[in-house]
Amino acid sequence: RKLGSTRGQDAACELPSATLAIAGVMSSSALAPDHRRPMLAMAGRPDKLDLKPPSFLQGAYTAAGVATTATWANIVRTTIRSNQPVGAMMPSVQHQIFGRTSVLSAVPLIVAAYGILGSAAKDSWDKLSSDTCRRLNLALATATAGGALWVNFAPIITAIPGSTPPACHQAYSGLPKAAMIASYAGAAALSAGVWARSLPEDVRSNPLSWPGRVADGVCKSLCSLGPAKSDNPVNVKYSILTGSFLVLTALQLGTIPTAVVPSWTGRRLSRHFPAWTLLAAASAFSLKEATESGKLHADQTFRKLSNGLAGMGAVYLTAKFGSVFLDPSWPTHYALVTKAPAWQLAASMMFAMTLRPDGPAKASASKPAAKAKAASPKRAAASKKSVMDTSAGAAAASLMAGVALGVLCDKKE
């Protein structure tokens, strides 16, 4: 296999970079005022949050979702491959494919999050002001802003210690770098702008109070990580997932070798993947609250979020299975991974928990509901089967998409 060059690597990014630039501009320009229509919906008082948001907002979320997903896929494609740095070769084809599939596991959750926010934008500002939408907007703003910083400082973040001359796994420049930063920054601006607009009027008019409000919300969430009902397995599931994803996020920002948990990408992408485990933590916490409030099965928002989280777990575990049992370079070329076996096992068990079905919706305690349950015992079984089939279908679809994207990226070398 011929060795690549920096110029060749940049050229490989040109086509996807043009797409990223267009999508990034679309998502960021969506925040500009539309002079063709009144901006009452954007400037309304808190008691007018039931007004519909501007019509372009749903399209802006779609563009931001496409831009974020495409940017992440392009980073994975151009970073996990041979000649990164020049002369470094992948030990096997499987090593590259499963390495990419592992971190592409974030795609189902990214798509689900933007889909939920896009649907809420079609509804009302009251919907966008819900705790779940605010939390997702903040998590996405943080993740994409962090992604833009990673792209800019990739030569430092992915530097190979002790290399002579100094080398790194990734160093973007020119149009590819500008396109990916613009894509991430546009998505971050959209999420941050909508989050700020959804605040109460007295808070929105005082930006200096925003950091304190975010800190208060984070502290409140941390203090309520435990399940409200320990005898509810679904409540316990999402409580454990929230705490676990937060721990994994912190580990990846720490030192090697624990930083490679759970991405298994060494120094290549282990500092970028925590952006998506943070989004997973926010999603799991929203599902925990939905379970406690009885909205988990009643609101499609949480079904979509649950399916996105299950899809992430399915793709992730498939990649790990492939790495261990199908990659001939295991374990010789997984030196950093095998240095923290306990953490790796714990991470895999935690991701496996995302695949546990949420179970059927519980019937109301009211008499009509009780009669309906007694009159149609098969309906509850059908409901349970429907929920499980939906989760399994979403997980399977996400699994196939993640593996296909990893293989497609490999063929584009």
Side-chain angles (χ1 to χ4, degrees):
R1 184 170 183 171
K2 296 182 179 180
L3 300 181
S5 64
T6 303
R7 180 176 301 174
Q9 294 164 9
D10 287 344
C13 301
E14 294 294 336
L15 182 57
S17 296
T19 304
L20 302 182
I22 295 173
V25 169
M26 287 177 63
S27 59
S28 58
S29 63
L31 295 176
D34 187 352
H35 299 290
R36 296 173 301 174
R37 59 177 292 173
M39 293 300 294
L40 179 61
M42 291 290 285
R45 301 189 304 260
D47 58 342
K48 296 295 183 181
L49 285 179
D50 58 332
L51 293 175
K52 291 182 69 66
S55 58
F56 62 73
L57 196 54
Q58 183 182 16
Y61 271 119
T62 300
V66 171
T68 300
T69 303
T71 301
W72 175 234
N74 191 52
I75 288 174
V76 172
R77 179 182 71 87
T78 56
T79 304
I80 303 179
R81 65 177 180 181
S82 296
N83 294 320
Q84 291 295 115
V86 174
M89 302 299 292
M90 285 289 168
S92 67
V93 174
Q94 295 92 327
H95 190 95
Q96 183 168 280
I97 291 177
F98 292 122
R100 287 173 170 175
T101 304
S102 175
V103 287
L104 286 174
S105 61
V107 170
L109 186 59
I110 296 172
V111 172
Y114 277 111
I116 289 169
L117 292 172
S119 298
K122 186 174 63 174
D123 190 358
S124 67
W125 278 112
D126 187 59
K127 186 75 172 179
L128 282 171
S129 300
S130 66
D131 290 341
T132 297
C133 287
R134 284 184 181 175
R135 192 175 294 120
L136 289 179
N137 270 319
L138 271 182
L140 285 170
T142 303
T144 49
L149 292 174
W150 186 94
V151 172
N152 189 61
F153 296 104
I156 299 174
I157 298 173
T158 65
I160 302 174
S163 57
T164 305
C168 60
H169 288 294
Q170 188 55 268
Y172 293 110
S173 62
L175 178 59
K177 179 179 181 178
M180 286 186 284
I181 291 178
S183 175
Y184 270 150
L190 174 66
S191 294
V194 174
W195 174 84
R197 170 60 188 87
S198 66
L199 294 173
E201 176 64 29
D202 58 333
V203 178
R204 190 165 70 245
S205 60
N206 183 17
L208 295 178
S209 67
W210 296 355
R213 183 180 180 88
V214 173
D216 290 343
V218 171
C219 292
K220 179 182 177 181
S221 298
L222 291 175
C223 291
S224 56
L225 281 179
K229 296 181 179 180
S230 58
D231 59 343
N232 185 335
V234 178
N235 197 187
V236 173
K237 163 191 169 181
Y238 287 120
S239 178
I240 293 177
L241 284 177
T242 302
S244 299
F245 277 122
L246 288 176
V247 170
L248 290 180
T249 301
L251 279 179
Q252 294 173 94
L253 298 177
T255 57
I256 301 291
T258 53
V260 304
V261 182
S263 69
W264 287 32
T265 58
R267 290 180 172 84
R268 295 174 185 263
L269 291 174
S270 60
R271 307 299 190 183
H272 193 328
F273 197 63
W276 310 126
T277 52
L278 178 63
L279 175 61
S283 302
F285 187 79
S286 294
L287 291 168
K288 169 189 171 294
E289 288 194 330
T291 303
E292 295 170 352
S293 64
K295 297 179 180 179
L296 183 62
H297 298 280
D299 193 333
Q300 283 299 313
T301 293
F302 301 110
R303 302 311 312 141
K304 293 178 182 178
L305 199 57
S306 176
N307 289 338
L309 202 60
M312 182 181 189
V315 177
Y316 178 87
L317 291 173
T318 299
K320 296 300 168 279
F321 178 88
S323 294
V324 175
F325 297 104
L326 302 178
D327 185 356
S329 66
W330 169 271
T332 305
H333 292 276
Y334 288 84
L336 293 178
V337 172
T338 55
K339 286 182 179 180
W343 281 113
Q344 301 295 357
L345 179 60
S348 295
M349 292 176 63
M350 185 273 295
F351 271 95
M353 192 177 294
T354 64
L355 302 181
R356 184 198 183 281
D358 291 339
K362 291 184 178 181
S364 171
S366 61
K367 292 183 178 180
K371 290 181 179 179
K373 182 176 180 180
S376 55
K378 294 183 179 180
R379 186 176 302 175
S383 175
K384 180 177 181 180
K385 184 176 184 299
S386 175
V387 171
M388 295 178 66
D389 288 347
T390 300
S391 298
S398 300
L399 166 64
M400 294 175 62
V403 173
L405 190 52
V407 174
L408 179 62
C409 288
D410 182 67
K411 290 183 177 179
K412 285 185 177 181
E413 291 296 313

